[in-house]
Amino acid sequence: MEKGVRAYAEVLRLVRLLPRDSRAYYAKYARENFVNYREVDPSDSDDLFQRTYNHSLWVLHKYSIDKSAADKLKGICCC
């Protein structure tokens, strides 16, 4: 659970790097996904964290933000 909270906080930090008009959408999207998967089987959590990181990279690339901004998220999700 703690890892999930740290990942969620980091995703929200990354959302603040996005253009102002898209922040609300991605913040809501992230919240909905973290809420939906809060009761996940621990054996599936590594896959979900990897998907969190990969999707975050995709969004950063979409808005031409350097992927190094997600280094902290990588440390949380890909350990």
Side-chain angles (χ1 to χ4, degrees):
M1 178 72 162
E2 181 182 324
K3 185 176 179 180
V5 172
R6 288 185 7 230
Y8 177 61
E10 187 59 25
V11 166
L12 291 181
R13 187 187 71 78
L14 293 173
V15 165
R16 289 194 299 262
L17 300 175
L18 300 176
R20 186 172 300 278
D21 61 340
S22 61
R23 290 178 193 168
Y25 170 79
Y26 284 106
K28 182 179 178 184
Y29 179 84
R31 183 181 188 291
E32 288 173 353
N33 277 281
F34 276 92
V35 166
N36 287 339
Y37 291 109
R38 68 178 167 224
E39 300 293 329
V40 70
D41 183 6
S43 64
D44 296 332
S45 64
D46 288 338
D47 181 49
L48 285 174
F49 285 121
Q50 184 64 45
R51 285 177 32 205
T52 299
Y53 175 68
N54 290 339
H55 187 74
S56 296
L57 288 181
W58 181 85
V59 173
L60 292 174
H61 182 265
K62 177 180 176 181
Y63 290 101
S64 302
I65 299 171
D66 187 35
K67 70 178 184 176
S68 66
D71 286 348
K72 188 172 179 183
L73 181 62
K74 182 179 182 179
I76 295 168
C77 293
C78 302
C79 297

